[in-house]
Amino acid sequence: MTPRSPQQVASRLDFWQALSGAVLALFICVHLVLEGSVVLSPKITDWIGWIMEEVYLAQVAAPLILLIIVFHFWVAARKMPFRAGELRIYFQHSRELGDADTSLWLVQVVTATIILVGAFFHVYSVMVDMPLEVDKSAMRLHEGWVVFYVFFLPACILHTGIGVYRIGVKYGFISKARREFWRKTIWIVMGAYLLLGTCAITRVWFIGDALIQAVQ
Ligand code: HEM
C-alpha cells in the first residue's frame, strides 16, 4: 500500500472536520429550538425533557456530543494560530488580503475556545441536576448561570453559522456568485436563533423569579 501524501492526509482531516462540524451544527440547531419551546409553554419543554430522559437520549447524547466536540476541536486545532508569531502573521495576512472570510476564521477560533470550555461546564451542570425541568433551569440561572449564557449562547450561534457558511463555500454548495446571498441569509438565521435563545433565557429567568417569590 502506498503511503498517503501530506495533501491526502490534510484533505481527509478537512473532511472529518467538516463532517463532525455538520453533526454539531445540526445538534445545536435542534437543541436551541427544543429549548426555545419554553417561550410557548414550559409544559412543552418539560415534556420534551421527560421523553429524552425516558428513552435515555439525554444520557447518551451528553457524553457523545462532548466527544464529538473534542474530536472536532482536535482536528481543527492543527490550523489554529496558537503561538504569538503565528498570530502576528495571521493578522498581517488578514489585513493585507482585506478578505472578510479570513477574518471570520478568527471569530471561529475565539468562539471555539469558549464552546470547548463552556460545553463541559454546561453539560455537567445540567446532567448532575436531573431530571431536565424548566424549574431546575430557572434556579440554575438565578444561581449565576445567566452570566455564562450571555457569552455561551452568542458563541454557539456565531460558531455554528460561520461554520455552516465555510463548509458551504469549501465544498462548493455556495458558489462565488451566491456568497453574498448566503452570507445575508445565514446572518438572518443567526439573528433568529439569538432572539429565540434570548427569549427562552428571559422566560426561564422570570419563572425563577416567580419560584423565589413563592417561597419567600
Ligand atoms: C446533550 C447534552 C445537553 C443537555 C441535556 C442540555 C440541556 C440544556 C438545558 C436544560 C438548557 C436550559 C438552561 C439550563 O438548564 O441551564 C440548555 C441551554 C443551552 N444549551 Fe444545552 N444541553 C446539552 C448540550 C449542549 C451543548 C453541547 C451545547 C453547545 C455546544 C449547548 C448549548 C446550549 C445553549 C447555548 C443554551 C442556552 C440557550 C437556551 O436556553 O435556549 N447545550 N441546555
Side-chain angles (χ1 to χ4, degrees), residues 27-28 31 35 62 65 115 122-123 137 140 149 152-153 156:
F27 166 80
I28 200 74
H31 179 30
E35 271 306 309
I65 291 294
I115 296 170
H122 169 60
V123 172
S137 296
R140 270 196 296 276
Y149 289 117
F152 192 57
L153 175 67
C156 289

Side-chain angles (χ1 to χ4, degrees), residues 25-53 55 57-58 61 65 122 132-134 137 153 192-193 196-197 199-201 203-204:
L26 189 65
F27 166 80
I28 200 74
C29 289
V30 173
H31 179 30
L32 293 189
V33 168
L34 294 183
E35 271 306 309
S37 64
V38 75
V39 176
L40 290 178
S41 157
K43 281 198 185 118
I44 301 177
T45 319
D46 278 346
W47 179 77
I48 294 170
W50 178 78
I51 298 255
M52 288 194 18
E53 269 185 71
V55 299
L57 194 61
I65 291 294
H122 169 60
L132 300 172
E133 277 172 4
V134 173
S137 296
L153 175 67
Y193 266 102
L196 178 66
C199 289
I201 290 170
R203 175 99 208 253
V204 176

Side-chain angles (χ1 to χ4, degrees), residues 5-211:
S5 69
Q7 285 86 350
Q8 279 174 316
V9 173
S11 84
R12 263 177 192 242
L13 288 175
D14 274 355
F15 168 76
W16 285 111
Q17 183 181 335
L19 186 67
S20 53
V23 171
L24 291 171
L26 189 65
F27 166 80
I28 200 74
C29 289
V30 173
H31 179 30
L32 293 189
V33 168
L34 294 183
E35 271 306 309
S37 64
V38 75
V39 176
L40 290 178
S41 157
K43 281 198 185 118
I44 301 177
T45 319
D46 278 346
W47 179 77
I48 294 170
W50 178 78
I51 298 255
M52 288 194 18
E53 269 185 71
E54 282 298 298
V55 299
Y56 292 95
L57 194 61
Q59 294 88 330
V60 172
L64 193 67
I65 291 294
L66 287 183
L67 276 177
I68 301 175
I69 290 177
V70 172
F71 173 77
H72 181 71
F73 190 88
W74 174 71
V75 187
R78 71 198 152 58
K79 290 183 184 168
M80 289 185 188
F82 285 118
R83 278 184 251 143
E86 290 171 345
L87 256 179
R88 206 186 48 244
I89 294 168
Y90 174 81
F91 280 125
Q92 202 181 326
H93 284 185
S94 169
R95 231 192 350 259
E96 280 165 12
L97 288 170
D99 177 21
D101 286 5
T102 315
S103 313
L104 284 185
W105 191 74
L106 190 63
V107 177
Q108 288 305 77
V109 173
V110 174
T111 50
T113 314
I114 297 174
I115 296 170
L116 181 71
V117 178
F120 275 91
F121 285 107
H122 169 60
V123 172
Y124 179 79
S125 73
V126 172
M127 297 309 284
V128 295
D129 196 19
M130 300 272 255
L132 300 172
E133 277 172 4
V134 173
D135 284 2
K136 291 202 166 212
S137 296
M139 294 324 293
R140 270 196 296 276
L141 289 192
H142 280 266
E143 281 159 14
W145 280 92
V146 68
V147 180
F148 169 86
Y149 289 117
V150 168
F151 296 97
F152 192 57
L153 175 67
C156 289
I157 292 172
L158 265 176
H159 193 88
T160 306
I162 297 172
V164 167
Y165 170 75
R166 289 175 64 89
I167 291 177
V169 169
K170 181 157 190 181
Y171 289 92
F173 303 116
I174 299 178
S175 66
K176 205 159 191 169
R178 301 286 286 163
R179 274 191 199 178
E180 201 44 46
F181 166 80
W182 279 109
R183 265 193 215 138
K184 275 196 193 126
T185 307
I186 290 175
W187 275 113
I188 292 170
V189 175
M190 285 198 288
Y193 266 102
L194 190 62
L195 185 67
L196 178 66
T198 308
C199 289
I201 290 170
T202 310
R203 175 99 208 253
V204 176
W205 173 268
F206 282 116
I207 291 171
D209 248 2
L211 286 173

